[in-house]
Amino acid sequence: MAAFKTIAAGLAITLASVGAQAETWQMATPYPESNFHTKNVLQFVQDIQAATDGKLEIKVHSAGSLIKHPEIKNAVRSRQIQIGEFFISILSNENPIYALDSVPFVATSFKDARKLYAASKPELEKELGKQGLKVLYSVAWPPQGLYADRPIEKIEDLNGLKFRVYNSQLARLAQLVNAVPAQVEVPDLAQAFTTGRVNAMLTATSTGVDSKAWDYLKYFYDVKAYLPKNVVVVNQKIFDALPAGEQKAILDAAAKAETRGWEMAEADHQAKKQVLADHGMHVSDGSDALNNSLHKIGAQMATEWSKQAGQMGETVLKAYHDAQ
């Protein structure tokens, strides 16, 4: 009997140990580990693991290695994975609120981009919430600049060029500058430019460095078109099922990640802009003629967005302008 009790006690300890093992989540992100967004994500999950004493472990799958970028949102929604990061305006066809931060020249500085985020955040959380997704944090990209395989001195120089797009706003911009839109994801940029599938694009300095743009492009114009954002979301039901302490650990880590990420974005822009120049790319702010034409197109697109968004758009833009 004593031996039986000893065995039973040992079994109970073993079962308790198994029950206390870490829960492991899978997280999909679109960008390589060298990108500041992914570095921020990696710190975010480390903070969670530390705060939960290892009870919640999140395995990060970067560079679209687990789930391709366009499928990440729905993968979290369907609980294929628990948590993921994606580019907000990749959803712009679903609802106008997702397109706002990619409307050119509405917000062209980090300060204004933060104000635009604050004004639009309630609506963004509401729309993603309808799909069972909880927003944890959002971080801007640096201002989007114009890359090209040839000099672009005026808007007419874009006429007929194949223009890389990744959302409906860029597709509309390509149309307005008489370019030909071509859908290309970040991992495919080098091949797309090398094969002539695209000739120009608007994207961040960090993306240019990540993809070694100097291998296939020569020109970068820092036109500061807009500062689009990524968002990190978790499946709401999965989050709600966690103990309160683990929920708090995630929210605390998310708040830190958002603050840290915006600071990283600002520092990253200047550093990566210099990297482009150091690798022989022609780097400039673009001519007055080019910038003036782009700003006019941006004003037209902002008007179009406001009409499409209706009352919601008016409310968000009013909150943004009131904060100026």
Side-chain angles (χ1 to χ4, degrees), residues 257-302:
E258 187 163 281
T259 298
R260 180 177 60 241
W262 281 77
E263 292 171 351
M264 291 172 74
E266 197 158 0
D268 188 81
H269 179 56
Q270 295 304 322
K272 296 298 173 62
K273 188 174 170 181
Q274 186 61 49
V275 172
L276 295 176
D278 290 344
H279 280 84
M281 290 192 68
H282 172 84
V283 175
S284 76
D285 290 337
S287 69
D288 289 343
L290 175 63
N291 280 287
N292 289 340
S293 296
L294 288 172
H295 276 265
K296 288 179 182 177
I297 290 172
Q300 178 180 342
M301 291 181 64

Side-chain angles (χ1 to χ4, degrees), residues 105-156:
F105 305 105
V106 172
T108 59
S109 67
F110 283 98
K111 181 180 179 181
D112 285 348
R114 279 182 173 275
K115 292 177 181 177
L116 187 63
Y117 175 43
S120 60
K121 186 177 180 180
E123 196 68 30
L124 183 66
E125 290 180 328
K126 183 177 81 172
E127 289 304 319
L128 288 171
K130 290 177 182 177
Q131 300 187 53
L133 302 173
K134 180 178 179 62
V135 173
L136 293 179
Y137 72 87
S138 183
V139 171
W141 285 89
Q144 304 292 283
L146 176 65
Y147 292 79
D149 60 5
R150 65 199 69 188
I152 306 294
E153 296 300 326
K154 55 188 184 303
I155 203 75
E156 290 78 10

Side-chain angles (χ1 to χ4, degrees), residues 293-316:
S293 296
L294 288 172
H295 276 265
K296 288 179 182 177
I297 290 172
Q300 178 180 342
M301 291 181 64
T303 300
E304 291 175 353
W305 181 87
S306 184
K307 289 180 179 178
Q308 181 188 13
Q311 183 59 51
M312 178 273 289
E314 290 182 19
T315 300
V316 170

Side-chain angles (χ1 to χ4, degrees), residues 5-323:
K5 287 181 178 179
T6 300
I7 293 171
L11 180 61
I13 292 171
T14 299
L15 290 174
S17 175
V18 170
Q21 284 181 353
E23 180 176 357
T24 301
W25 283 6
Q26 307 301 321
M27 181 174 186
T29 71
Y31 307 104
E33 291 192 6
S34 59
N35 186 276
F36 78 92
H37 278 290
T38 311
K39 290 179 180 179
N40 193 33
V41 163
L42 293 171
Q43 184 61 57
F44 165 67
V45 301
Q46 288 176 19
D47 289 346
I48 291 171
Q49 187 166 351
T52 61
D53 294 323
K55 293 177 183 175
L56 179 58
E57 181 180 349
I58 301 176
K59 185 174 181 180
V60 177
H61 302 268
S62 60
S65 58
L66 179 65
I67 308 288
K68 296 301 181 185
H69 192 180
E71 302 161 9
I72 291 176
K73 186 262 288 182
N74 285 334
V76 179
R77 183 182 182 186
S78 64
R79 293 191 253 186
Q80 183 179 349
I81 56 176
Q82 294 85 357
I83 185 171
E85 177 188 33
F86 54 85
F87 190 66
I88 294 174
S89 64
I90 202 172
L91 310 178
S92 57
N93 286 328
E94 295 184 16
N95 188 292
I97 193 61
Y98 301 133
L100 177 57
D101 65 9
S102 290
V103 178
F105 305 105
V106 172
T108 59
S109 67
F110 283 98
K111 181 180 179 181
D112 285 348
R114 279 182 173 275
K115 292 177 181 177
L116 187 63
Y117 175 43
S120 60
K121 186 177 180 180
E123 196 68 30
L124 183 66
E125 290 180 328
K126 183 177 81 172
E127 289 304 319
L128 288 171
K130 290 177 182 177
Q131 300 187 53
L133 302 173
K134 180 178 179 62
V135 173
L136 293 179
Y137 72 87
S138 183
V139 171
W141 285 89
Q144 304 292 283
L146 176 65
Y147 292 79
D149 60 5
R150 65 199 69 188
I152 306 294
E153 296 300 326
K154 55 188 184 303
I155 203 75
E156 290 78 10
D157 292 335
L158 293 168
N159 189 8
L161 296 190
K162 297 168 188 174
F163 199 92
R164 179 242 178 171
V165 302
Y166 46 74
N167 59 38
S168 60
Q169 293 298 304
L170 269 183
R172 176 59 175 154
L173 178 65
Q175 180 185 34
L176 290 172
V177 301
N178 295 313
V180 180
Q183 181 83 27
V184 178
E185 291 297 327
V186 170
D188 303 321
L189 285 176
Q191 183 181 26
F193 276 98
T194 302
T195 59
R197 186 178 162 196
V198 287
N199 309 111
M201 65 178 174
L202 272 175
T203 195
T205 46
S206 51
T207 303
V209 171
D210 287 344
S211 62
K212 298 182 179 178
W214 50 83
D215 286 341
Y216 51 87
L217 291 171
K218 294 298 180 186
Y219 299 91
F220 173 74
Y221 302 97
D222 192 13
V223 296
K224 301 178 178 65
Y226 51 93
L227 289 83
K229 297 185 299 295
N230 282 3
V231 66
V232 171
V233 299
V234 63
N235 183 282
Q236 183 73 63
K237 289 184 178 179
I238 292 175
F239 178 83
D240 290 344
L242 290 174
E246 292 180 25
Q247 290 185 13
K248 183 178 185 302
I250 292 173
L251 296 178
D252 288 348
K256 289 181 184 177
E258 187 163 281
T259 298
R260 180 177 60 241
W262 281 77
E263 292 171 351
M264 291 172 74
E266 197 158 0
D268 188 81
H269 179 56
Q270 295 304 322
K272 296 298 173 62
K273 188 174 170 181
Q274 186 61 49
V275 172
L276 295 176
D278 290 344
H279 280 84
M281 290 192 68
H282 172 84
V283 175
S284 76
D285 290 337
S287 69
D288 289 343
L290 175 63
N291 280 287
N292 289 340
S293 296
L294 288 172
H295 276 265
K296 288 179 182 177
I297 290 172
Q300 178 180 342
M301 291 181 64
T303 300
E304 291 175 353
W305 181 87
S306 184
K307 289 180 179 178
Q308 181 188 13
Q311 183 59 51
M312 178 273 289
E314 290 182 19
T315 300
V316 170
L317 286 179
K318 184 179 185 302
Y320 169 58
H321 292 307
D322 287 349

